[in-house]
Amino acid sequence: MRSTPGTEAFPAHTPAAAQIFTTVLSHGPLTRSDMAGRAGLSAAAVTKAVRPLIEAGYLVEDAGDEARPSLGRPANPVRVDGGRALFIGVKITGNEIIAVLTDLCCRIRVARHVPLNDREPKAVLASVAALAQELLAEADGFGVQVQGLGVAVSGDVDRAAGEVRFSPFLEWRDLPLAELMEMTTGLPVTVDNDVRALTVAEQWFGAGIGLSDFAVVTVGAGIGCGLVVHGKVVSGAHGVAGEIGHVVIDPTGPPCHCGNRGCAEAIAADPAIVAAVREATRLPVADAAQAVDLARRGDPGAREVYARAGEAIGRAIATVANLMGPQRVIISGEGLAAYDLFAEQIREAFTASAFGTAARCDLLTRPLPFDEWARGAAATAIQSFISGPTRGQE
């Protein structure tokens, strides 16, 4: 298992050990019998997996007076020592870079925000490297090594190759971002689509814990979707699974940057809403905040735009429910600032468009600041650390 200077290899030498660790990470503290039940492994396999993880300090056994022995095996709960390792997560937006330092349990210890004034890759790499150095210095204060860096970028991202194929907001194409970041930071780097990264965080540490099938739908600068099927985050054969932003809602609708017309993103993303409100009101609406303000003050044109956006989002979510039948859809993103303006339309359109029992899917709104998106990037770094590197391996 690869490690770079200053980092170490995670002592999970088998898939079973990695599975046990992630089970405790998400659901712990757990006794060994609980681990066996959740992971579907034998008691002997659990004991074999847990021992090196405890010896290396990644798992800690909590001995308590109330703990009782069970058939000679320890019945004490075992938990992850979150302070055993640190990780950096970076979220790159069209105008800002957000970086966080997290522990092994993905709890944010330090956060940094810097404006993004130049989207050229060289300038962005320099800014991220500077932020990483700041956070590495902060890590020295905790006395723990940083074991990996995760980067989250919108668009078509090939995590296995560490490459950004296309990011519309950054105007990047075919950029080997992971390799470049490793050269500038000296850390193992994981690069993933920002919504998929957020989905990893929700699966392991958030509203998706314990769910085998769920989706994360994000509303804001774009319309994104992360999918978890049978307990695994799905990227698809070509890395673009879940692109519901480009589900055509209205074939005669406004043009989308993808080349089609009437995509969900062309109707319900923040830039589309701002443009539509500007056209409907004939006012110089500059941004989403002004559009929201107009709608909340009762402007009929602005309210109609938000109603149409809510319908588009609801139909897009219904498409997800009809295709994969998730237990839950988590709705997030900066666009939730306007949720009161289109919540009713989202639910009505979802109910009308979801087929049969797909309509039983739980819709959960979960506003998350961009720090949480950066935390999602850190979650992908934690995931790579536990499972081992896959980039460049076939």
Side-chain angles (χ1 to χ4, degrees), residues 82-121:
R84 178 62 176 79
L86 297 173
F87 298 83
I88 294 173
V90 176
K91 157 72 171 169
I92 304 173
T93 75
N95 54 24
E96 187 180 31
I97 302 174
I98 304 96
V100 298
L101 180 69
T102 79
D103 64 13
L104 184 54
C105 294
C106 217
R107 294 174 295 219
I108 296 175
R109 300 299 185 92
V110 183
R112 294 280 188 274
H113 293 236
V114 297
L116 181 60
N117 301 315
D118 185 346
R119 297 178 185 175
E120 284 298 312

PDB file of all heavy atoms in Angstrom, residues 82-121:
ATOM      1  N   GLY A  82     -10.541   9.116  16.766  1.00  0.00           N
ATOM      2  CA  GLY A  82     -10.578  10.140  15.730  1.00  0.00           C
ATOM      3  C   GLY A  82      -9.319  10.973  15.644  1.00  0.00           C
ATOM      4  O   GLY A  82      -8.954  11.477  14.573  1.00  0.00           O
ATOM      5  N   GLY A  83      -8.607  11.103  16.771  1.00  0.00           N
ATOM      6  CA  GLY A  83      -7.399  11.905  16.783  1.00  0.00           C
ATOM      7  C   GLY A  83      -6.171  11.186  16.278  1.00  0.00           C
ATOM      8  O   GLY A  83      -5.074  11.763  16.258  1.00  0.00           O
ATOM      9  N   ARG A  84      -6.329   9.936  15.826  1.00  0.00           N
ATOM     10  CA  ARG A  84      -5.172   9.145  15.371  1.00  0.00           C
ATOM     11  C   ARG A  84      -4.586   9.648  14.056  1.00  0.00           C
ATOM     12  O   ARG A  84      -3.399   9.444  13.760  1.00  0.00           O
ATOM     13  CB  ARG A  84      -5.599   7.676  15.234  1.00  0.00           C
ATOM     14  CG  ARG A  84      -4.534   6.734  14.727  1.00  0.00           C
ATOM     15  CD  ARG A  84      -3.338   6.661  15.644  1.00  0.00           C
ATOM     16  NE  ARG A  84      -2.362   5.677  15.189  1.00  0.00           N
ATOM     17  CZ  ARG A  84      -1.487   5.881  14.213  1.00  0.00           C
ATOM     18  NH1 ARG A  84      -1.458   7.050  13.576  1.00  0.00           N
ATOM     19  NH2 ARG A  84      -0.622   4.935  13.870  1.00  0.00           N
ATOM     20  N   ALA A  85      -5.389  10.324  13.226  1.00  0.00           N
ATOM     21  CA  ALA A  85      -4.906  10.816  11.933  1.00  0.00           C
ATOM     22  C   ALA A  85      -5.712  12.042  11.535  1.00  0.00           C
ATOM     23  O   ALA A  85      -6.862  12.213  11.961  1.00  0.00           O
ATOM     24  CB  ALA A  85      -5.033   9.735  10.855  1.00  0.00           C
ATOM     25  N   LEU A  86      -5.109  12.880  10.713  1.00  0.00           N
ATOM     26  CA  LEU A  86      -5.767  14.087  10.215  1.00  0.00           C
ATOM     27  C   LEU A  86      -5.801  14.076   8.694  1.00  0.00           C
ATOM     28  O   LEU A  86      -4.970  13.420   8.044  1.00  0.00           O
ATOM     29  CB  LEU A  86      -5.041  15.342  10.703  1.00  0.00           C
ATOM     30  CG  LEU A  86      -5.013  15.588  12.215  1.00  0.00           C
ATOM     31  CD1 LEU A  86      -4.122  16.770  12.537  1.00  0.00           C
ATOM     32  CD2 LEU A  86      -6.428  15.821  12.748  1.00  0.00           C
ATOM     33  N   PHE A  87      -6.772  14.820   8.135  1.00  0.00           N
ATOM     34  CA  PHE A  87      -6.959  14.877   6.686  1.00  0.00           C
ATOM     35  C   PHE A  87      -7.336  16.297   6.285  1.00  0.00           C
ATOM     36  O   PHE A  87      -7.916  17.043   7.083  1.00  0.00           O
ATOM     37  CB  PHE A  87      -8.031  13.892   6.239  1.00  0.00           C
ATOM     38  CG  PHE A  87      -7.678  12.463   6.530  1.00  0.00           C
ATOM     39  CD1 PHE A  87      -7.911  11.914   7.786  1.00  0.00           C
ATOM     40  CD2 PHE A  87      -7.071  11.685   5.564  1.00  0.00           C
ATOM     41  CE1 PHE A  87      -7.536  10.614   8.080  1.00  0.00           C
ATOM     42  CE2 PHE A  87      -6.697  10.377   5.844  1.00  0.00           C
ATOM     43  CZ  PHE A  87      -6.929   9.842   7.102  1.00  0.00           C
ATOM     44  N   ILE A  88      -7.018  16.650   5.060  1.00  0.00           N
ATOM     45  CA  ILE A  88      -7.385  17.950   4.517  1.00  0.00           C
ATOM     46  C   ILE A  88      -8.418  17.738   3.416  1.00  0.00           C
ATOM     47  O   ILE A  88      -8.285  16.848   2.579  1.00  0.00           O
ATOM     48  CB  ILE A  88      -6.151  18.691   3.943  1.00  0.00           C
ATOM     49  CG1 ILE A  88      -5.172  19.033   5.076  1.00  0.00           C
ATOM     50  CG2 ILE A  88      -6.568  19.965   3.208  1.00  0.00           C
ATOM     51  CD1 ILE A  88      -3.850  19.607   4.579  1.00  0.00           C
ATOM     52  N   GLY A  89      -9.461  18.551   3.443  1.00  0.00           N
ATOM     53  CA  GLY A  89     -10.472  18.533   2.391  1.00  0.00           C
ATOM     54  C   GLY A  89     -10.570  19.907   1.750  1.00  0.00           C
ATOM     55  O   GLY A  89     -10.559  20.921   2.455  1.00  0.00           O
ATOM     56  N   VAL A  90     -10.668  19.943   0.429  1.00  0.00           N
ATOM     57  CA  VAL A  90     -10.729  21.208  -0.305  1.00  0.00           C
ATOM     58  C   VAL A  90     -11.903  21.172  -1.271  1.00  0.00           C
ATOM     59  O   VAL A  90     -12.041  20.229  -2.063  1.00  0.00           O
ATOM     60  CB  VAL A  90      -9.423  21.465  -1.094  1.00  0.00           C
ATOM     61  CG1 VAL A  90      -9.544  22.733  -1.938  1.00  0.00           C
ATOM     62  CG2 VAL A  90      -8.241  21.574  -0.150  1.00  0.00           C
ATOM     63  N   LYS A  91     -12.742  22.183  -1.208  1.00  0.00           N
ATOM     64  CA  LYS A  91     -13.840  22.365  -2.159  1.00  0.00           C
ATOM     65  C   LYS A  91     -13.523  23.599  -3.001  1.00  0.00           C
ATOM     66  O   LYS A  91     -13.278  24.688  -2.472  1.00  0.00           O
ATOM     67  CB  LYS A  91     -15.146  22.541  -1.408  1.00  0.00           C
ATOM     68  CG  LYS A  91     -16.264  23.264  -2.155  1.00  0.00           C
ATOM     69  CD  LYS A  91     -16.890  22.460  -3.254  1.00  0.00           C
ATOM     70  CE  LYS A  91     -18.145  23.182  -3.787  1.00  0.00           C
ATOM     71  NZ  LYS A  91     -18.654  22.592  -5.018  1.00  0.00           N
ATOM     72  N   ILE A  92     -13.496  23.420  -4.325  1.00  0.00           N
ATOM     73  CA  ILE A  92     -13.205  24.523  -5.238  1.00  0.00           C
ATOM     74  C   ILE A  92     -14.503  24.922  -5.934  1.00  0.00           C
ATOM     75  O   ILE A  92     -15.109  24.116  -6.647  1.00  0.00           O
ATOM     76  CB  ILE A  92     -12.152  24.122  -6.284  1.00  0.00           C
ATOM     77  CG1 ILE A  92     -10.873  23.626  -5.592  1.00  0.00           C
ATOM     78  CG2 ILE A  92     -11.829  25.308  -7.198  1.00  0.00           C
ATOM     79  CD1 ILE A  92      -9.841  23.062  -6.559  1.00  0.00           C
ATOM     80  N   THR A  93     -14.963  26.139  -5.705  1.00  0.00           N
ATOM     81  CA  THR A  93     -16.140  26.663  -6.393  1.00  0.00           C
ATOM     82  C   THR A  93     -15.677  27.589  -7.516  1.00  0.00           C
ATOM     83  O   THR A  93     -14.478  27.748  -7.748  1.00  0.00           O
ATOM     84  CB  THR A  93     -17.067  27.428  -5.438  1.00  0.00           C
ATOM     85  OG1 THR A  93     -16.485  28.709  -5.148  1.00  0.00           O
ATOM     86  CG2 THR A  93     -17.270  26.671  -4.129  1.00  0.00           C
ATOM     87  N   GLY A  94     -16.613  28.228  -8.178  1.00  0.00           N
ATOM     88  CA  GLY A  94     -16.256  29.154  -9.237  1.00  0.00           C
ATOM     89  C   GLY A  94     -15.617  30.428  -8.743  1.00  0.00           C
ATOM     90  O   GLY A  94     -14.951  31.135  -9.509  1.00  0.00           O
ATOM     91  N   ASN A  95     -15.785  30.738  -7.442  1.00  0.00           N
ATOM     92  CA  ASN A  95     -15.231  31.998  -6.937  1.00  0.00           C
ATOM     93  C   ASN A  95     -14.585  31.901  -5.557  1.00  0.00           C
ATOM     94  O   ASN A  95     -14.218  32.907  -4.974  1.00  0.00           O
ATOM     95  CB  ASN A  95     -16.322  33.075  -6.895  1.00  0.00           C
ATOM     96  CG  ASN A  95     -17.542  32.626  -6.108  1.00  0.00           C
ATOM     97  OD1 ASN A  95     -17.463  31.758  -5.242  1.00  0.00           O
ATOM     98  ND2 ASN A  95     -18.684  33.205  -6.426  1.00  0.00           N
ATOM     99  N   GLU A  96     -14.429  30.690  -5.042  1.00  0.00           N
ATOM    100  CA  GLU A  96     -13.882  30.542  -3.698  1.00  0.00           C
ATOM    101  C   GLU A  96     -13.249  29.167  -3.534  1.00  0.00           C
ATOM    102  O   GLU A  96     -13.642  28.196  -4.189  1.00  0.00           O
ATOM    103  CB  GLU A  96     -15.015  30.725  -2.672  1.00  0.00           C
ATOM    104  CG  GLU A  96     -14.566  30.761  -1.236  1.00  0.00           C
ATOM    105  CD  GLU A  96     -15.717  30.948  -0.264  1.00  0.00           C
ATOM    106  OE1 GLU A  96     -16.844  30.488  -0.561  1.00  0.00           O
ATOM    107  OE2 GLU A  96     -15.483  31.541   0.808  1.00  0.00           O
ATOM    108  N   ILE A  97     -12.241  29.111  -2.662  1.00  0.00           N
ATOM    109  CA  ILE A  97     -11.657  27.828  -2.254  1.00  0.00           C
ATOM    110  C   ILE A  97     -11.881  27.686  -0.755  1.00  0.00           C
ATOM    111  O   ILE A  97     -11.560  28.596   0.015  1.00  0.00           O
ATOM    112  CB  ILE A  97     -10.157  27.747  -2.567  1.00  0.00           C
ATOM    113  CG1 ILE A  97      -9.895  27.962  -4.062  1.00  0.00           C
ATOM    114  CG2 ILE A  97      -9.593  26.396  -2.134  1.00  0.00           C
ATOM    115  CD1 ILE A  97      -8.411  28.029  -4.410  1.00  0.00           C
ATOM    116  N   ILE A  98     -12.464  26.559  -0.360  1.00  0.00           N
ATOM    117  CA  ILE A  98     -12.714  26.281   1.052  1.00  0.00           C
ATOM    118  C   ILE A  98     -11.887  25.062   1.431  1.00  0.00           C
ATOM    119  O   ILE A  98     -11.930  24.039   0.737  1.00  0.00           O
ATOM    120  CB  ILE A  98     -14.209  25.999   1.320  1.00  0.00           C
ATOM    121  CG1 ILE A  98     -15.077  27.157   0.835  1.00  0.00           C
ATOM    122  CG2 ILE A  98     -14.444  25.749   2.805  1.00  0.00           C
ATOM    123  CD1 ILE A  98     -15.654  26.950  -0.543  1.00  0.00           C
ATOM    124  N   ALA A  99     -11.125  25.170   2.498  1.00  0.00           N
ATOM    125  CA  ALA A  99     -10.287  24.062   2.950  1.00  0.00           C
ATOM    126  C   ALA A  99     -10.554  23.796   4.422  1.00  0.00           C
ATOM    127  O   ALA A  99     -10.731  24.727   5.207  1.00  0.00           O
ATOM    128  CB  ALA A  99      -8.807  24.375   2.735  1.00  0.00           C
ATOM    129  N   VAL A 100     -10.589  22.519   4.790  1.00  0.00           N
ATOM    130  CA  VAL A 100     -10.799  22.137   6.185  1.00  0.00           C
ATOM    131  C   VAL A 100      -9.778  21.092   6.591  1.00  0.00           C
ATOM    132  O   VAL A 100      -9.293  20.310   5.768  1.00  0.00           O
ATOM    133  CB  VAL A 100     -12.222  21.584   6.432  1.00  0.00           C
ATOM    134  CG1 VAL A 100     -13.277  22.634   6.142  1.00  0.00           C
ATOM    135  CG2 VAL A 100     -12.475  20.317   5.616  1.00  0.00           C
ATOM    136  N   LEU A 101      -9.441  21.116   7.863  1.00  0.00           N
ATOM    137  CA  LEU A 101      -8.639  20.071   8.482  1.00  0.00           C
ATOM    138  C   LEU A 101      -9.573  19.250   9.347  1.00  0.00           C
ATOM    139  O   LEU A 101     -10.272  19.798  10.211  1.00  0.00           O
ATOM    140  CB  LEU A 101      -7.535  20.694   9.342  1.00  0.00           C
ATOM    141  CG  LEU A 101      -6.587  19.737  10.068  1.00  0.00           C
ATOM    142  CD1 LEU A 101      -5.686  19.013   9.075  1.00  0.00           C
ATOM    143  CD2 LEU A 101      -5.748  20.496  11.099  1.00  0.00           C
ATOM    144  N   THR A 102      -9.645  17.942   9.092  1.00  0.00           N
ATOM    145  CA  THR A 102     -10.534  17.081   9.866  1.00  0.00           C
ATOM    146  C   THR A 102      -9.734  15.969  10.541  1.00  0.00           C
ATOM    147  O   THR A 102      -8.609  15.662  10.147  1.00  0.00           O
ATOM    148  CB  THR A 102     -11.622  16.417   8.997  1.00  0.00           C
ATOM    149  OG1 THR A 102     -11.065  15.292   8.300  1.00  0.00           O
ATOM    150  CG2 THR A 102     -12.223  17.396   8.020  1.00  0.00           C
ATOM    151  N   ASP A 103     -10.376  15.362  11.535  1.00  0.00           N
ATOM    152  CA  ASP A 103      -9.778  14.180  12.130  1.00  0.00           C
ATOM    153  C   ASP A 103     -10.271  12.940  11.383  1.00  0.00           C
ATOM    154  O   ASP A 103     -10.951  13.037  10.358  1.00  0.00           O
ATOM    155  CB  ASP A 103     -10.059  14.115  13.632  1.00  0.00           C
ATOM    156  CG  ASP A 103     -11.543  13.956  13.959  1.00  0.00           C
ATOM    157  OD1 ASP A 103     -12.349  13.650  13.062  1.00  0.00           O
ATOM    158  OD2 ASP A 103     -11.902  14.148  15.144  1.00  0.00           O
ATOM    159  N   LEU A 104      -9.924  11.785  11.888  1.00  0.00           N
ATOM    160  CA  LEU A 104     -10.263  10.532  11.220  1.00  0.00           C
ATOM    161  C   LEU A 104     -11.762  10.275  11.206  1.00  0.00           C
ATOM    162  O   LEU A 104     -12.266   9.534  10.353  1.00  0.00           O
ATOM    163  CB  LEU A 104      -9.522   9.375  11.907  1.00  0.00           C
ATOM    164  CG  LEU A 104      -9.635   7.974  11.335  1.00  0.00           C
ATOM    165  CD1 LEU A 104      -9.266   7.936   9.858  1.00  0.00           C
ATOM    166  CD2 LEU A 104      -8.747   7.010  12.129  1.00  0.00           C
ATOM    167  N   CYS A 105     -12.495  10.882  12.135  1.00  0.00           N
ATOM    168  CA  CYS A 105     -13.957  10.767  12.156  1.00  0.00           C
ATOM    169  C   CYS A 105     -14.616  11.884  11.358  1.00  0.00           C
ATOM    170  O   CYS A 105     -15.828  12.088  11.446  1.00  0.00           O
ATOM    171  CB  CYS A 105     -14.465  10.773  13.594  1.00  0.00           C
ATOM    172  SG  CYS A 105     -13.964   9.319  14.546  1.00  0.00           S
ATOM    173  N   CYS A 106     -13.815  12.615  10.600  1.00  0.00           N
ATOM    174  CA  CYS A 106     -14.285  13.675   9.702  1.00  0.00           C
ATOM    175  C   CYS A 106     -14.921  14.844  10.455  1.00  0.00           C
ATOM    176  O   CYS A 106     -15.805  15.520   9.931  1.00  0.00           O
ATOM    177  CB  CYS A 106     -15.246  13.125   8.642  1.00  0.00           C
ATOM    178  SG  CYS A 106     -15.048  13.899   7.019  1.00  0.00           S
ATOM    179  N   ARG A 107     -14.451  15.078  11.661  1.00  0.00           N
ATOM    180  CA  ARG A 107     -14.881  16.253  12.408  1.00  0.00           C
ATOM    181  C   ARG A 107     -13.961  17.411  12.055  1.00  0.00           C
ATOM    182  O   ARG A 107     -12.736  17.270  12.098  1.00  0.00           O
ATOM    183  CB  ARG A 107     -14.851  15.983  13.917  1.00  0.00           C
ATOM    184  CG  ARG A 107     -15.874  14.945  14.353  1.00  0.00           C
ATOM    185  CD  ARG A 107     -15.721  14.590  15.814  1.00  0.00           C
ATOM    186  NE  ARG A 107     -14.456  13.932  16.077  1.00  0.00           N
ATOM    187  CZ  ARG A 107     -14.302  12.910  16.933  1.00  0.00           C
ATOM    188  NH1 ARG A 107     -15.351  12.432  17.586  1.00  0.00           N
ATOM    189  NH2 ARG A 107     -13.116  12.381  17.133  1.00  0.00           N
ATOM    190  N   ILE A 108     -14.553  18.541  11.681  1.00  0.00           N
ATOM    191  CA  ILE A 108     -13.761  19.691  11.256  1.00  0.00           C
ATOM    192  C   ILE A 108     -13.060  20.307  12.457  1.00  0.00           C
ATOM    193  O   ILE A 108     -13.691  20.679  13.444  1.00  0.00           O
ATOM    194  CB  ILE A 108     -14.653  20.734  10.547  1.00  0.00           C
ATOM    195  CG1 ILE A 108     -15.238  20.155   9.250  1.00  0.00           C
ATOM    196  CG2 ILE A 108     -13.852  21.997  10.238  1.00  0.00           C
ATOM    197  CD1 ILE A 108     -16.230  21.075   8.561  1.00  0.00           C
ATOM    198  N   ARG A 109     -11.742  20.434  12.357  1.00  0.00           N
ATOM    199  CA  ARG A 109     -10.948  21.059  13.412  1.00  0.00           C
ATOM    200  C   ARG A 109     -10.604  22.508  13.059  1.00  0.00           C
ATOM    201  O   ARG A 109     -10.562  23.367  13.931  1.00  0.00           O
ATOM    202  CB  ARG A 109      -9.660  20.261  13.650  1.00  0.00           C
ATOM    203  CG  ARG A 109      -9.882  18.808  14.082  1.00  0.00           C
ATOM    204  CD  ARG A 109     -10.653  18.706  15.392  1.00  0.00           C
ATOM    205  NE  ARG A 109     -10.764  17.345  15.876  1.00  0.00           N
ATOM    206  CZ  ARG A 109      -9.916  16.771  16.713  1.00  0.00           C
ATOM    207  NH1 ARG A 109      -8.862  17.437  17.144  1.00  0.00           N
ATOM    208  NH2 ARG A 109     -10.111  15.521  17.106  1.00  0.00           N
ATOM    209  N   VAL A 110     -10.313  22.760  11.772  1.00  0.00           N
ATOM    210  CA  VAL A 110      -9.935  24.095  11.303  1.00  0.00           C
ATOM    211  C   VAL A 110     -10.543  24.291   9.921  1.00  0.00           C
ATOM    212  O   VAL A 110     -10.634  23.336   9.138  1.00  0.00           O
ATOM    213  CB  VAL A 110      -8.397  24.263  11.214  1.00  0.00           C
ATOM    214  CG1 VAL A 110      -8.030  25.687  10.785  1.00  0.00           C
ATOM    215  CG2 VAL A 110      -7.715  23.906  12.523  1.00  0.00           C
ATOM    216  N   ALA A 111     -10.991  25.516   9.615  1.00  0.00           N
ATOM    217  CA  ALA A 111     -11.533  25.826   8.286  1.00  0.00           C
ATOM    218  C   ALA A 111     -10.912  27.116   7.777  1.00  0.00           C
ATOM    219  O   ALA A 111     -10.655  28.050   8.546  1.00  0.00           O
ATOM    220  CB  ALA A 111     -13.051  25.945   8.340  1.00  0.00           C
ATOM    221  N   ARG A 112     -10.688  27.162   6.466  1.00  0.00           N
ATOM    222  CA  ARG A 112     -10.141  28.346   5.815  1.00  0.00           C
ATOM    223  C   ARG A 112     -10.926  28.617   4.529  1.00  0.00           C
ATOM    224  O   ARG A 112     -11.277  27.692   3.802  1.00  0.00           O
ATOM    225  CB  ARG A 112      -8.670  28.144   5.461  1.00  0.00           C
ATOM    226  CG  ARG A 112      -7.746  28.000   6.657  1.00  0.00           C
ATOM    227  CD  ARG A 112      -7.403  29.356   7.263  1.00  0.00           C
ATOM    228  NE  ARG A 112      -6.369  29.246   8.284  1.00  0.00           N
ATOM    229  CZ  ARG A 112      -6.601  28.967   9.557  1.00  0.00           C
ATOM    230  NH1 ARG A 112      -7.847  28.770   9.979  1.00  0.00           N
ATOM    231  NH2 ARG A 112      -5.606  28.880  10.428  1.00  0.00           N
ATOM    232  N   HIS A 113     -11.168  29.904   4.240  1.00  0.00           N
ATOM    233  CA  HIS A 113     -11.812  30.324   2.994  1.00  0.00           C
ATOM    234  C   HIS A 113     -10.927  31.376   2.332  1.00  0.00           C
ATOM    235  O   HIS A 113     -10.463  32.307   3.000  1.00  0.00           O
ATOM    236  CB  HIS A 113     -13.180  30.959   3.267  1.00  0.00           C
ATOM    237  CG  HIS A 113     -14.214  30.021   3.798  1.00  0.00           C
ATOM    238  ND1 HIS A 113     -15.431  29.838   3.184  1.00  0.00           N
ATOM    239  CD2 HIS A 113     -14.221  29.202   4.880  1.00  0.00           C
ATOM    240  CE1 HIS A 113     -16.138  28.960   3.877  1.00  0.00           C
ATOM    241  NE2 HIS A 113     -15.423  28.560   4.914  1.00  0.00           N
ATOM    242  N   VAL A 114     -10.706  31.236   1.030  1.00  0.00           N
ATOM    243  CA  VAL A 114      -9.996  32.285   0.288  1.00  0.00           C
ATOM    244  C   VAL A 114     -10.738  32.521  -1.030  1.00  0.00           C
ATOM    245  O   VAL A 114     -11.305  31.586  -1.612  1.00  0.00           O
ATOM    246  CB  VAL A 114      -8.527  31.913  -0.006  1.00  0.00           C
ATOM    247  CG1 VAL A 114      -7.734  31.758   1.277  1.00  0.00           C
ATOM    248  CG2 VAL A 114      -8.427  30.666  -0.861  1.00  0.00           C
ATOM    249  N   PRO A 115     -10.782  33.754  -1.508  1.00  0.00           N
ATOM    250  CA  PRO A 115     -11.438  34.020  -2.787  1.00  0.00           C
ATOM    251  C   PRO A 115     -10.644  33.417  -3.938  1.00  0.00           C
ATOM    252  O   PRO A 115      -9.414  33.304  -3.875  1.00  0.00           O
ATOM    253  CB  PRO A 115     -11.459  35.550  -2.873  1.00  0.00           C
ATOM    254  CG  PRO A 115     -10.348  35.997  -1.979  1.00  0.00           C
ATOM    255  CD  PRO A 115     -10.259  34.979  -0.884  1.00  0.00           C
ATOM    256  N   LEU A 116     -11.359  33.029  -4.983  1.00  0.00           N
ATOM    257  CA  LEU A 116     -10.730  32.502  -6.195  1.00  0.00           C
ATOM    258  C   LEU A 116     -10.843  33.578  -7.270  1.00  0.00           C
ATOM    259  O   LEU A 116     -11.898  33.752  -7.881  1.00  0.00           O
ATOM    260  CB  LEU A 116     -11.420  31.212  -6.646  1.00  0.00           C
ATOM    261  CG  LEU A 116     -10.855  30.520  -7.885  1.00  0.00           C
ATOM    262  CD1 LEU A 116      -9.405  30.132  -7.661  1.00  0.00           C
ATOM    263  CD2 LEU A 116     -11.678  29.294  -8.231  1.00  0.00           C
ATOM    264  N   ASN A 117      -9.763  34.296  -7.472  1.00  0.00           N
ATOM    265  CA  ASN A 117      -9.769  35.403  -8.422  1.00  0.00           C
ATOM    266  C   ASN A 117      -9.274  35.002  -9.804  1.00  0.00           C
ATOM    267  O   ASN A 117      -9.464  35.734 -10.771  1.00  0.00           O
ATOM    268  CB  ASN A 117      -8.903  36.554  -7.886  1.00  0.00           C
ATOM    269  CG  ASN A 117      -9.409  37.067  -6.541  1.00  0.00           C
ATOM    270  OD1 ASN A 117     -10.609  37.258  -6.366  1.00  0.00           O
ATOM    271  ND2 ASN A 117      -8.498  37.270  -5.595  1.00  0.00           N
ATOM    272  N   ASP A 118      -8.612  33.862  -9.893  1.00  0.00           N
ATOM    273  CA  ASP A 118      -8.050  33.389 -11.161  1.00  0.00           C
ATOM    274  C   ASP A 118      -8.322  31.899 -11.259  1.00  0.00           C
ATOM    275  O   ASP A 118      -7.866  31.124 -10.413  1.00  0.00           O
ATOM    276  CB  ASP A 118      -6.547  33.675 -11.196  1.00  0.00           C
ATOM    277  CG  ASP A 118      -5.899  33.334 -12.541  1.00  0.00           C
ATOM    278  OD1 ASP A 118      -6.534  32.644 -13.355  1.00  0.00           O
ATOM    279  OD2 ASP A 118      -4.744  33.759 -12.755  1.00  0.00           O
ATOM    280  N   ARG A 119      -9.075  31.484 -12.279  1.00  0.00           N
ATOM    281  CA  ARG A 119      -9.460  30.077 -12.404  1.00  0.00           C
ATOM    282  C   ARG A 119      -8.456  29.244 -13.195  1.00  0.00           C
ATOM    283  O   ARG A 119      -8.683  28.048 -13.402  1.00  0.00           O
ATOM    284  CB  ARG A 119     -10.847  29.980 -13.060  1.00  0.00           C
ATOM    285  CG  ARG A 119     -11.941  30.626 -12.233  1.00  0.00           C
ATOM    286  CD  ARG A 119     -13.279  30.557 -12.945  1.00  0.00           C
ATOM    287  NE  ARG A 119     -14.296  31.284 -12.209  1.00  0.00           N
ATOM    288  CZ  ARG A 119     -15.542  31.466 -12.647  1.00  0.00           C
ATOM    289  NH1 ARG A 119     -15.901  30.967 -13.817  1.00  0.00           N
ATOM    290  NH2 ARG A 119     -16.411  32.147 -11.911  1.00  0.00           N
ATOM    291  N   GLU A 120      -7.399  29.852 -13.659  1.00  0.00           N
ATOM    292  CA  GLU A 120      -6.376  29.075 -14.367  1.00  0.00           C
ATOM    293  C   GLU A 120      -5.802  28.017 -13.422  1.00  0.00           C
ATOM    294  O   GLU A 120      -5.526  28.306 -12.247  1.00  0.00           O
ATOM    295  CB  GLU A 120      -5.267  29.991 -14.861  1.00  0.00           C
ATOM    296  CG  GLU A 120      -5.634  30.807 -16.086  1.00  0.00           C
ATOM    297  CD  GLU A 120      -5.956  29.917 -17.290  1.00  0.00           C
ATOM    298  OE1 GLU A 120      -5.159  28.986 -17.565  1.00  0.00           O
ATOM    299  OE2 GLU A 120      -6.997  30.147 -17.928  1.00  0.00           O
ATOM    300  N   PRO A 121      -5.616  26.792 -13.913  1.00  0.00           N
ATOM    301  CA  PRO A 121      -5.162  25.713 -13.032  1.00  0.00           C
ATOM    302  C   PRO A 121      -3.906  26.059 -12.229  1.00  0.00           C
ATOM    303  O   PRO A 121      -3.809  25.720 -11.045  1.00  0.00           O
ATOM    304  CB  PRO A 121      -4.904  24.557 -14.004  1.00  0.00           C
ATOM    305  CG  PRO A 121      -5.864  24.799 -15.128  1.00  0.00           C
ATOM    306  CD  PRO A 121      -5.926  26.290 -15.269  1.00  0.00           C
TER     307      PRO A 121
END
